[in-house]
Amino acid sequence: MRAIAICAALWLGAPAAAQGAGAEAATGGRASILPELFARTSDAVALCLRPEPHWQDFCNGLAQGYAEYAVLTGKACIPAGTTRRRLVEVFTGPDVVVSTGYIDDLPAYETALEMFIRHFPCP
């Protein structure tokens, strides 16, 4: 399960430049018509706020993947035993709507990282 969450988080958080370069070259320099391969902050927050169980499960895994990245890179110190639901609450809480990531609709992983650093700072 953890590997799936990490893969989903990395896939949804892949930098846009890495995605569009090949597609733009293949179309003769025209902008790609392919959808973005990462979730924007507003989209991810909207999914996480949906009541359907399958979206809640998806969001739990997404938040876990983002949180594991934050911990593994030493940017946030999330205590052991923190639930996935708590991670989602931090990611979708009141602080997110005033964050740069939400206002500028940056990739969701950037905003999640910002929220985890703010709520779980390292000493």
Side-chain angles (χ1 to χ4, degrees), residues 33-123:
I33 58 171
L34 297 174
E36 293 178 330
L37 294 178
F38 59 88
R40 294 278 177 190
T41 298
S42 62
D43 296 330
V45 170
L47 282 176
C48 289
L49 295 176
R50 294 188 57 99
E52 296 89 358
H54 61 276
W55 287 120
Q56 292 295 309
D57 292 342
F58 174 82
C59 192
N60 287 342
L62 184 66
Q64 178 182 344
Y66 290 156
E68 287 181 7
Y69 173 78
V71 170
L72 290 173
T73 58
K75 297 182 187 285
C77 293
I78 300 171
T82 302
T83 65
R84 291 180 184 150
R85 196 71 235 148
R86 175 68 181 130
L87 297 174
V88 172
E89 289 169 0
V90 167
F91 177 59
T92 61
D95 289 344
V96 79
V97 295
V98 295
S99 71
T100 303
Y102 192 87
I103 293 167
D104 294 338
D105 211 17
L106 299 176
Y109 78 95
E110 291 181 23
T111 306
L113 190 58
E114 180 184 341
M115 293 298 103
F116 294 145
I117 290 169
R118 184 179 302 170
H119 288 267
F120 305 107
C122 292

